[in-house]
Amino acid sequence: MSNRFDVISIFPEYFAPLELSLIGKAKSAGLISIGIHDLRAQTSDVHGSVDDTPYGGGAGMVMSAEPWGKAIDEVVATNPSEIHELIVLTPAGEKFTQKLANELVNSKHLIFACGRYEGIDSRVTDFYKTMPNFKVREVSIGDYVLNGGEVATLVIMEAIIRLIPGVIGNPLSLDEESHTLADEAGTLVEYPNYTKPQEWRGLKVPEVLLSGNHALIAEYRKEQALIRTRNLGK
Ligand code: JBZ
């Protein structure tokens, strides 16, 4: 199970929310440990430069390889693990999915490299791909433009950490969740939920949910999930 997470970024403040809610509790309970590392700590010049102009020309700046190499080596030196899985956030990466979350939760040590600007010198991934104790993945959370990998890392970490046994109080809520309620046709999104009061602003809770007939309720929910799934993106 994933238990050690290291994040390297020029904006370590982005990761303050990891202290909150379920992830914060998982940390306090010792289910996970998280290290946040400032890439600029690896620079030697007074300005803490982490980027430079691209070879071949073009707009924007590219993150230099050396601060990344130092930061990753330092994180590895302080985390003895047989295998280190390096996740590099890039719009050019494979799409992050629940399937990938289910896979990554089995890694003992995940290192997230959050790029900024036009990205990181390609030799960083080239180099770690040659290391026998590394697995390198370039990952994107979706088809929209972000300023850097920080928010993508938060998304991915949350999706992984909630899968660790003990992080979510009621493990049943894990498999009844959106996108995991499977049927013959694939995956369904979640059915609509209601709680008290029975009537709100003239809108009533569907009668069947008050019936106490569990078979009928299950059938109704399945049907609603199918309708919602069919209407996705419309
Ligand atoms: C991502 C250069 O750093 C970036 C920029 C955009 C971006 C990422 C990293 S990761 N977009 C995504 O997951 O969509």
Side-chain angles (χ1 to χ4, degrees):
M1 281 294 160
S2 252
N3 40 28
R4 176 69 191 182
F5 299 80
D6 283 288
V7 180
I8 305 164
S9 160
I10 57 168
F11 295 117
E13 299 90 342
Y14 255 101
F15 300 93
L18 295 174
E19 300 302 323
L20 304 175
S21 186
L22 289 174
I23 297 179
K25 287 200 191 92
K27 268 184 73 179
S28 318
L31 292 169
I32 54 169
S33 67
I34 301 176
I36 308 295
H37 310 272
D38 187 351
L39 183 71
R40 288 197 205 278
Q42 307 299 335
T43 58
S44 35
D45 68 310
V46 286
H47 307 292
S49 306
V50 291
D51 61 339
D52 211 329
T53 53
Y55 276 119
M61 301 290 271
V62 175
M63 293 187 109
S64 312
E66 185 56 8
W68 282 106
K70 283 181 171 167
I72 295 164
D73 290 350
E74 187 180 279
V75 149
V76 164
T78 51
N79 291 283
S81 186
E82 263 156 54
I83 194 104
H84 309 279
E85 195 139 355
L86 178 63
I87 311 293
V88 180
L89 289 309
T90 161
E94 70 174 292
K95 202 67 51 69
F96 182 69
T97 58
Q98 189 62 44
K99 182 169 170 277
L100 188 50
N102 293 342
E103 204 174 314
L104 292 178
V105 73
N106 296 310
S107 299
K108 277 225 158 317
H109 187 206
L110 293 172
I111 304 169
F112 293 89
C114 305
R116 282 265 150 180
Y117 314 109
E118 300 309 307
I120 304 170
D121 188 314
S122 264
R123 290 170 294 182
V124 174
T125 49
D126 292 344
F127 176 82
Y128 288 101
K129 280 175 185 171
T130 69
M131 301 294 274
N133 58 336
F134 266 82
K135 253 200 97 165
V136 179
R137 284 176 189 274
E138 289 163 279
V139 178
S140 162
I141 60 165
D143 293 333
Y144 28 74
V145 182
L146 301 174
N147 291 331
E150 283 78 8
V151 169
T153 293
L154 285 170
V155 167
I156 293 172
M157 285 180 73
E158 178 159 316
I160 293 171
I161 291 168
R162 63 187 299 285
L163 298 174
I164 296 172
V167 170
I168 294 213
N170 175 10
L172 265 185
S173 57
L174 272 177
D175 43 68
E176 272 191 33
E177 215 54 61
S178 229
H179 292 288
T180 57
L181 207 153
D183 82 335
E184 320 77 48
T187 53
L188 300 181
V189 298
E190 213 176 320
Y191 50 78
N193 292 295
Y194 303 88
T195 185
K196 289 179 273 303
Q198 270 191 37
E199 185 175 335
W200 180 76
R201 296 191 181 179
L203 302 172
K204 293 190 171 74
V205 172
E207 203 68 46
V208 57
L209 299 177
L210 313 174
S211 70
N213 184 334
H214 298 296
L216 213 58
I217 290 170
E219 191 184 323
Y220 169 80
R221 284 177 165 168
K222 178 76 171 283
E223 181 183 85
Q224 291 299 311
L226 277 165
I227 291 168
R228 281 186 159 194
T229 305
R230 191 168 345 110
N231 292 335
L232 274 183
K234 284 184 198 155

